[in-house]
Amino acid sequence: MDNPSKIVENGITYSLGDFDGTTMHYDFYRILEYLEVKGKLLYGEEFKIFKIDRPLIRKLCAYTINDSKAAKRYGISLQKGVLLNGPVGCGKTSLMKLLRYIIPGKPTYEMIPSRNVVFSFNHLGFKTVEEYGDSGSYCFDDLGLEPYGRFYGKDANVMGEVLLSRYELYRTTRGRLKTHITTNLNATELEERYGNRVRSRMRELFNLITFDQNSQDKRFYLK
C-alpha cells in the first residue's frame, strides 16, 4: 500500500505526518514545511509562508485533509466549499493552488480564472454556464474582477449564473462536487455585483475564510 504521508519532490521525500496502515495522522508543521518547499518549486526561491498567515493556513489545511474535529473547532463545514477573501496580493491564488498537492492521488479542484469563464461565454454562450455549473470541482479565481459577458448582443452576469448553477449542484450532490472561490470583494460588494439571490446562496455554498487585513503584499515573492 502506498504511504500517503510521504511526498517526493526532486528526489527528496517529505513527510506530512504518520500513517499507521489504515489512518493518516497529519502534522501541521510538516505540512507547512512541505507547502513552502512546493511553493518555491512553483513560484521561485523567493516564495515564503508568513507567520501572520499561519492561523488561516491551519484552517485551510484542516479543511483540505478532511479533519472533522478541527473543522468543528474552526466552525468549518466539510460539505461546503471555501470562499477565500483578502486584500490584493495577499496570496489567495497561490495558496489555493498549493493546497491541492498535500493529498497525493486525491481528485482535486481545477483552478479557473473567473475572467476565462466570461471569455468562454462570449464565444459559446450558455453552454459555458452548463460546462462550469453542472459538473466538476472548481476554484474560481478573482471573482468580481471579471467583466460582464455578452453573447449575440445580450449581456449576462456570467459568474452569477454559474454560481446559481453550482448551488443546485451542491444540493443534488450533497457537497460531493466542491466549489471554491478567491476574491478581493467583501460581502456587501459581492451582493452589489451579483445580487441578493446569489449572495444568499453563497452563504450556503461556502465557508468564509479571510486573510488578516494586515497580511503582507506577497507579489514580490510570487514572481
Side-chain angles (χ1 to χ4, degrees):
M1 178 183 291
D2 291 336
N3 188 337
S5 70
K6 309 294 185 184
I7 296 180
V8 179
E9 297 286 357
N10 288 348
I12 301 174
T13 301
Y14 298 90
S15 172
L16 304 187
D18 299 301
F19 182 58
D20 63 12
T22 57
T23 304
M24 178 66 195
H25 304 279
Y26 286 93
D27 182 302
F28 174 67
Y29 291 100
R30 294 194 217 173
I31 294 176
L32 208 60
E33 177 186 14
Y34 172 71
L35 288 176
E36 190 150 288
V37 168
K38 188 66 175 179
K40 290 181 185 298
L41 290 173
L42 292 177
Y43 304 115
E45 285 299 317
E46 297 294 339
F47 177 86
K48 62 187 296 186
I49 290 176
F50 291 83
K51 190 173 183 179
I52 192 174
D53 296 330
R54 286 187 182 181
L56 176 143
I57 295 173
R58 186 183 287 271
K59 290 181 183 179
L60 288 172
C61 286
Y63 174 87
T64 302
I65 66 176
N66 211 38
D67 186 333
S68 58
K69 289 183 179 179
K72 185 176 181 180
R73 187 165 66 249
Y74 295 132
I76 294 172
S77 167
L78 296 176
Q79 279 67 54
K80 295 182 179 182
V82 167
L83 192 161
L84 187 57
N85 170 267
V88 173
C90 66
K92 300 181 293 296
T93 301
S94 58
L95 186 52
M96 289 302 288
K97 286 181 178 179
L98 279 174
L99 287 167
R100 299 179 298 170
Y101 294 99
I102 66 176
I103 303 183
K106 181 180 179 180
T108 187
Y109 51 89
E110 184 178 354
M111 295 289 298
I112 304 291
S114 295
R115 66 180 181 276
N116 287 10
V117 179
V118 176
F119 296 156
S120 176
F121 175 88
N122 292 343
H123 289 286
L124 301 175
F126 282 90
K127 180 180 178 182
T128 296
V129 175
E130 294 175 6
E131 177 185 351
Y132 290 110
D134 296 343
S135 63
S137 292
Y138 297 104
C139 178
F140 297 108
D141 192 31
D142 278 337
L143 183 76
L145 297 184
E146 78 281 357
Y148 286 95
R150 189 171 181 82
F151 186 69
Y152 279 95
K154 297 183 69 174
D155 293 333
N157 191 331
V158 179
M159 285 308 303
E161 295 295 332
V162 169
L163 289 173
L164 289 174
S165 295
R166 298 297 301 184
Y167 172 75
E168 295 303 324
L169 184 67
Y170 166 75
R171 289 173 61 85
T172 56
T173 67
R174 298 185 179 183
R176 182 174 57 84
L177 297 176
K178 295 290 195 298
T179 308
H180 308 297
I181 279 173
T182 72
T183 184
N184 303 331
L185 304 187
N186 60 34
T188 300
E189 291 167 331
L190 286 170
E191 185 166 337
E192 289 174 354
R193 183 73 162 79
Y194 301 104
N196 179 262
R197 185 181 175 211
V198 172
R199 173 61 186 141
S200 66
R201 282 156 177 74
M202 290 175 76
R203 293 188 184 97
E204 294 185 56
L205 263 177
F206 300 114
N207 297 288
L208 175 60
I209 300 180
T210 304
F211 272 89
D212 190 299
Q213 290 303 304
N214 296 316
S215 183
Q216 184 169 340
D217 186 333
K218 304 174 183 70
R219 284 171 288 187
F220 169 78
Y221 301 94
L222 298 173
K223 291 180 180 179

